[in-house]
Amino acid sequence: MKEELKRVREYLMTGVSYMIPIVVIGGVLIAFSIALSGVQEGQGAVVTNPFLKSMMDIGNAAFSMMVPVLAGFIAYGIADRPGIAPGLVGGVLANQLKAGFLGGIIAGFIAGYVARWVKSWKVPKNLRPIMPIFVIPLVSALIVGYLMIYVLGNPISYAMESMTAWLKSMSTGNAVILAMITGAMIAFDMGGPVNKVAFMFGSAMIAEGIYTVMGPIAAAICTPPLGMGLATLLAPKKYTKTEREAGYGALAMGMIGITEGAIPFAAADPIRVIPSIMIGSSVAAAVAAIGKVGDHAPHGGPIVLPVVDNKLMFIVAILIGTVVTAILVNALKKPVTDDISAEDEAVE
C-alpha cells in the first residue's frame, strides 16, 4: 500500500513538473497585463491597450493548456508515451466541463491506468506495431472521454447549481460565516467549479450594489498563491527546486489576484496543501468581513486596492491569511525526499 501511494505521488509530480512552466507563462503574462492596465470599478480588470491585450491573450492561451498538460503527463507517468494522447483529451474535456485541475487529475489517472491496461492486452504479433499509435490511444481516449462526460459532467453541473442556491440562502445571515464559507470555496479548487460559484456570487452582489460580499472574496482570492509563495521562502527544504521557482511566480500571481498560482503545489500534495489554503483563505475572508471591506470590482488581490472600501483592513486580512496559510502548510509538509529531488532535476 505504501509503495503504491509512493507511485501515485510520483505520477502526480510528473504531471506537475510539466505543468509548472505553463502556469508561470500564463499567470505572469496575465498578471503583467492587468498590473499595467489596472482595474475599473464595477468592471474588474479591463485591458484595452493592444500590446497588453495581446500579452493577456498569450497568457490565457497558456492557461488553457494547464489542465490538459497536467492530465497528459500524469497519464504519461503511468503508461509512458501511449498515455499522453488520451490524457490530453481527458484534460481538454475537464476544461470544457469546468471541472478545474481536480477534474484534470482524475482524467489523467483514468487515462493512464486505462492505457496501461490496454497495453497489457495479448494481441497477435502482426497487430503489435499499431497498438501504441492506434489501438491504445483510441480505446483509452474513448473510455476516459465517456467517463468524463457522462459520469463527471452531470454531478458538476448539479453541484454548481446547488451551491449557488445555498449561498443565496445564506446571504441574509451572518456576514462573517458567509465570508468564511466563500473564502474556503475560493481556495478549494482555485479556478474550478467550486471557486467559480463563490466568485460569481460575489460578482452578482456587486451588480446589486452590495460590495461587502466581494470584499472578503477579493482577500481570499490572492491568499493561496501568496501563502504558498511565502511558504517556499520560509521552508525551502520542504519543496523541490521546481516548486521553489514556482513560488516566485505564485507571489506575482497573488498580487494580481490569480488564485491558480497555487495549483502546482495543490496538485503535487493535495492532502496537505488544499486544507491549508482553504483555512488561510477562510481566515482572510473572515477578517475582511469583520473589517467591513467592500470591493467594487469583480476581481481580487492587492491590484483592486484603489476600488476597495476600508483599504487598511483589506491589507491586514490578506497579510493574516497569507501567514496562516504558510505556517499551516509548512507545519504539515515534510522535507522533500532525495528521490523526488532527483526526479525534479531529471525533468529539467
Side-chain angles (χ1 to χ4, degrees):
M1 181 66 179
K2 193 172 182 180
E3 190 64 30
E4 184 60 31
L5 288 174
K6 183 180 176 182
R7 282 197 291 269
V8 168
R9 162 78 167 157
E10 290 171 356
Y11 302 149
L12 277 173
M13 285 304 299
T14 300
V16 169
S17 296
Y18 285 99
M19 178 188 68
I20 284 177
I22 301 293
V23 176
V24 171
I25 292 169
V28 172
L29 289 180
I30 292 171
F32 280 158
S33 64
I34 293 174
L36 295 174
S37 301
V39 296
Q40 296 181 19
E41 185 171 331
Q43 298 182 58
V46 180
V47 181
T48 56
N49 179 279
F51 179 78
L52 296 178
K53 180 72 168 58
S54 296
M55 183 185 291
M56 175 170 264
D57 290 342
I58 296 169
N60 284 328
F63 253 12
S64 71
M65 296 168 57
M66 177 177 63
V67 172
V69 167
L70 174 63
F73 283 96
I74 287 175
Y76 166 74
I78 298 169
D80 208 7
R81 287 178 61 185
I84 293 178
L88 290 171
V89 170
V92 170
L93 288 171
N95 268 349
Q96 292 178 352
L97 294 168
K98 304 189 187 313
F101 87 98
L102 293 174
I105 290 175
I106 293 170
F109 276 102
I110 293 173
Y113 283 117
V114 170
R116 192 164 76 180
W117 169 62
V118 178
K119 278 175 65 177
S120 70
W121 289 359
K122 304 298 182 183
V123 298
K125 191 173 182 179
N126 59 335
L127 290 180
R128 289 177 193 170
I130 68 169
M131 285 293 289
I133 61 172
F134 184 79
V135 177
I136 297 173
L138 184 62
V139 172
S140 302
L142 279 172
I143 292 175
V144 71
Y146 279 121
L147 285 175
M148 292 295 291
I149 292 170
Y150 293 108
V151 176
L152 195 62
N154 289 334
I156 288 175
S157 298
Y158 176 76
M160 290 180 72
E161 292 173 2
S162 300
M163 283 187 287
T164 301
W166 178 51
L167 288 178
K168 286 180 179 176
S169 70
M170 293 204 56
S171 61
T172 56
N174 187 294
V176 175
I177 293 176
L178 178 62
M180 292 176 70
I181 292 170
T182 53
M185 290 173 67
I186 285 291
F188 173 70
D189 54 1
M190 294 152 281
V194 177
N195 170 286
K196 285 292 187 289
V197 167
F199 178 79
M200 295 308 295
F201 177 69
S203 300
M205 292 295 100
I206 291 177
E208 295 183 18
I210 302 172
Y211 307 113
T212 50
V213 173
M214 193 67 205
I217 290 174
I221 282 172
C222 62
T223 299
L226 290 176
M228 292 310 304
L230 177 61
T232 63
L233 297 177
L234 294 177
K237 292 183 179 180
K238 295 190 175 185
Y239 301 89
T240 65
K241 182 179 178 182
T242 304
E243 287 177 319
R244 293 195 299 272
E245 292 172 351
Y248 294 109
L251 289 170
M253 286 180 250
M255 294 299 292
I256 315 299
I258 302 175
T259 319
E260 287 87 344
I263 285 179
F265 305 97
D269 192 1
I271 302 299
R272 296 180 179 89
V273 172
I274 292 178
S276 300
I277 62 176
M278 287 177 68
I279 292 171
S281 285
S282 187
V283 168
V287 173
I290 292 169
K292 300 190 184 308
V293 173
D295 179 11
H296 294 247
H299 200 74
I303 187 70
V304 301
L305 194 61
V307 295
V308 163
D309 299 328
N310 203 343
K311 294 176 175 55
L312 177 60
M313 283 304 296
F314 182 59
I315 294 171
V316 169
I318 292 173
L319 290 174
I320 292 175
T322 298
V323 171
V324 168
T325 298
I327 291 174
L328 276 177
V329 74
N330 284 344
L332 293 173
K333 287 181 76 69
K334 299 176 182 178
V336 293
T337 57
D338 292 338
D339 55 335
I340 292 176
S341 297
E343 179 186 338
D344 192 51
E345 297 290 342
V347 170
E348 293 181 7

